[in-house]
């Protein structure tokens, strides 16, 4: 009787290296994610809301072209190190430098009187940072598929990467909110701009020390086709990939759900006036979120990836609505009540947050296998550029919309005689921020259910695809190695 037990190719050390590499990358990315980037540019750098909203939107749209283009270039790469590792070996150095430059603007241009000069610096520094981030992020997540032909190995690699990045990568925002409260309350002599710059320097060290592990300590085990696909062919393959297109559509439709992350930042900063409150509010959920990684294999035995995504969207909408209604009397008057309420919300969300870090990446990997089965070509570069650009596009759009909404809801910033930022709010600004943090994004997010109703890369269909391409890979391995199948 044939042994159905799956071979394990990736050892513990390599999994850990992949996980710590993600932490090194995410530490810096978290300073850019959510509402921190718009808060930095508007409140700290002193750039008008409209200019920030426009820049983030323009470069977000550019990512829809840039990321798949970079993915196509990666797919054409053939070296003795593979097609993904060369980028992971080179990128950490320029990414570390550009991370520092992105947040150094307020210090470099401290005496600048012209807003135009600040806007130009913002465009250039963010554009270059995005370029190198893409050149690192696309091959990094492409490696989650190429690291092993085994689905279980891939799940372990992705889960390890997400778990360790949650532990270490999340420290950047933990430090940031505490440092901001210290600066706002005069606990130390550092300004908000210096807080961001210090953490950017730490992020650069993390990138050089940890993110570089992805290139130095991981292997590409899935055999690539001998033929180098053209960039145009890569794009054609992507557009023929129906499951991938449905994932893209679902994420783009769900863009407005990202407003929750943007206005979470403004809620704690401008409504509660206590940035560090997020630390104790999120603590129970963070702990439970770590345990969730252990529950993912059991969850996947009960539900397929499509069902998990649908459950995630529905539960967020229900919980967000309940939290909004209960908190109407307390959102700007009782830190204690709001803390308890948001603790419960974050505890529930933490389960889905963790699952959401693993499942979409797995689904992209499934679409890569699907197109290999359908066309004989593997396109990790183009396909995982989708994961990168959709994440950045939706984040850019939500951040841009969030920045554009600020004047509409009556929130703006000015400078006092000492040059420190001062907040100006309208009569109902706090209520609008509360709604944009809790209920509105998750109700709008339900629209992204529509594409997933047509997603069918699950169950027996997916099992049959994996079985077929396993046999094909063995034949391709013999061809590449001169007639002898590669063995790990």
């Amino acid at each position: 009787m044939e042994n159905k037990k799956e071979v394990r190719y990736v050892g513990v050390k390599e999994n850990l290296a992949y996980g710590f590499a993600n932490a090194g990358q995410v530490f810096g990315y978290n300073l850019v994610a959510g509402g921190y980037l718009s808060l930095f540019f508007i409140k700290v750098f002193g750039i008008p809301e409209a200019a920030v909203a426009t820049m983030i939107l323009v470069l977000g749209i550019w990512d829809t072209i840039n990321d798949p283009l970079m993915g196509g270039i990666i797919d054409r790469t053939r070296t003795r190190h593979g097609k993904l590792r060369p980028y992971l070996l080179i990128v950490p150095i320029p990414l570390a430098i550009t991370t520092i430059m992105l947040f150094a603007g307020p210090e470099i241009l401290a005496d600048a009187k012209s807003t135009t000069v600040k806007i130009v610096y913002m465009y250039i520094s963010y554009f270059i940072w995005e370029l190198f981030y893409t050149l690192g992020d696309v091959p990094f997540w492409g490696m989650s598929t190429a690291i092993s032909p085994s689905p279980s190995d891939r799940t372990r690699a992705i889960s390890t990467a997400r778990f360790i990045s949650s532990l270490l990568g999340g420290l950047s925002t933990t430090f940031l909110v505490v440092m901001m409260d210290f600066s706002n309350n005069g606990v130390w002599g550092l300004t908000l701009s210096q807080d961001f710059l210090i953490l950017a320097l730490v992020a650069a060290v993390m990138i050089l020390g940890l993110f570089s592990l992805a290139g130095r300590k991981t292997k590409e085990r899935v055999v690539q086709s001998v033929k180098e696909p053209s960039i145009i062919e890569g794009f054609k393959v992507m557009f023929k990939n129906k499951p991938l297109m449905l994932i893209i559509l679902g994420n783009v439709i769900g863009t407005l759900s990202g407003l929750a992350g943007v206005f979470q930042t403004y809620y704690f900063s401008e409504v509660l006036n206590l940035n560090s409150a997020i630390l104790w509010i999120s603590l129970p959920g963070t702990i439970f979120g770590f345990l969730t990684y252990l529950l993912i294999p059991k969850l996947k035995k009960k539900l397929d990836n499509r069902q998990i995504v649908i459950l995630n969207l529905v539960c967020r909408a229900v919980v967000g609505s309940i939290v909004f209604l209960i908190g109407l009397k307390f959102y700007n008057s009782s830190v204690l009540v709001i803390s308890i309420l948001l603790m419960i919300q974050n505890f529930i969300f933490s389960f889905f947050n963790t699952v959401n870090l693993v499942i979409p990446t797995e689904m992209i990997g499934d679409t890569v296998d699907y197109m290999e089965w359908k066309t004989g070509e593997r396109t990790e570069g183009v396909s995982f550029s989708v994961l990168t650009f959709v994440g950045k596009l939706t984040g850019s759009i939500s951040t841009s919309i969030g920045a554009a909404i600020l004047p509409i809801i009556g929130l703006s910033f000015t400078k006092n005689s000492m040059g420190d930022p001062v907040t100006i709010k309208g009569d109902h600004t706090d209520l609008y921020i509360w709604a944009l943090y809790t209920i509105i994004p998750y109700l709008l997010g339900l629209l992204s259910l529509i594409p997933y109703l047509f997603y069918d890369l699950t169950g027996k269909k997916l099992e049959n695809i994996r079985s077929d391409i396993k046999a094909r890979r063995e034949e391709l391995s013999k061809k590449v190695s001169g007639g002898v199948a590669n063995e790990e």
Side-chain angles (χ1 to χ4, degrees), residues 53 56-57 255-256 259 262-263 394-408 436:
I56 294 175
L57 180 60
T255 292
L256 293 178
L259 287 172
V262 175
F263 282 94
T394 55
S396 296
I397 293 176
S398 59
T399 301
S400 176
I401 293 174
I405 287 175
L406 296 183
I408 297 175
L436 287 163

Side-chain angles (χ1 to χ4, degrees), residues 224-235:
Q224 303 297 329
S225 60
V226 177
K227 176 187 175 185
E228 297 177 12
S230 69
I231 294 176
I232 294 176
E233 286 174 343
F235 274 90

